[in-house]
Amino acid sequence: MKAIDILNSHKLKRTSCREGIIDIVMEAGQALSENEIRERLTGNYDRTTFYRSFKTLVEHRIIHKIVVDNQVVKYALDNQVTHKSAHAHFYCNTCNTVKCMDDIPVQHYNLPDGYAEEETEVLIKGTCSVCKDQA
């Protein structure tokens, strides 16, 4: 899947900034922070253009936010784009990476009457295999 196809399927205008952000997130193989995405983005985009493009991609559920804590937020392609089911994320306390754990599905809970689930997030914190091997 290409960035242009993703934008077209969401009926969004094609811009080089939007395409660049999607390409970076797709190629990364792990979730990235806004700063990591901005640093990897080629082209001379001002802050306003970057943040408007970024916000649009989040609002249209092309990329989604993974909140680790009040200081660390990472982004990855949304399940709507990847066609993956809801899954857990793993945060490595040593190298600060976030990985999708596709084989660990998110459990759905039976809520009391009157409650409606909008989203459920599962974040597992620990040490990744790479950091564990280096210890």
Side-chain angles (χ1 to χ4, degrees):
M1 183 178 307
K2 295 182 179 178
I4 185 66
D5 299 325
I6 294 169
L7 291 169
N8 286 339
S9 70
H10 286 81
K11 297 179 176 34
L12 286 174
K13 181 180 175 187
R14 176 184 178 217
T15 68
S16 59
C17 188
R18 289 176 185 172
E19 283 186 70
I21 292 169
I22 294 169
D23 286 338
I24 288 165
V25 172
M26 285 189 334
E27 293 167 6
Q30 66 184 23
L32 301 171
S33 70
E34 282 183 35
N35 285 338
E36 290 169 324
I37 294 168
R38 192 173 54 242
E39 288 169 3
R40 295 178 187 192
L41 187 62
T42 56
N44 192 15
Y45 304 106
D46 60 33
R47 293 177 66 91
T48 303
T49 300
F50 173 79
Y51 283 110
R52 283 185 183 157
S53 297
F54 198 83
K55 182 179 176 187
T56 298
L57 297 176
V58 171
E59 287 173 351
H60 284 84
R61 297 188 59 196
I62 293 172
I63 57 177
H64 73 275
K65 185 187 298 191
I66 303 162
V67 179
V68 175
D69 58 31
N70 62 354
Q71 294 181 341
V72 179
V73 178
K74 302 276 186 160
Y75 295 85
L77 283 180
D78 195 87
N79 294 339
Q80 181 178 311
V81 172
T82 61
H83 304 291
K84 295 178 183 177
S85 57
H87 56 272
H89 294 98
F90 186 89
Y91 173 75
C92 179
N93 291 315
T94 304
C95 65
N96 301 317
T97 59
V98 174
K99 289 276 205 183
C100 292
M101 306 301 287
D102 297 330
D103 296 336
I104 302 175
V106 172
Q107 178 180 342
H108 293 282
Y109 298 94
N110 292 323
L111 300 174
D113 288 342
Y115 290 80
E117 177 184 350
E118 293 179 10
E119 66 181 307
T120 301
E121 296 178 15
V122 175
L123 180 69
I124 302 165
K125 296 181 180 181
T127 306
C128 71
S129 61
V130 174
C131 291
K132 195 165 192 101
D133 290 343
Q134 293 176 355

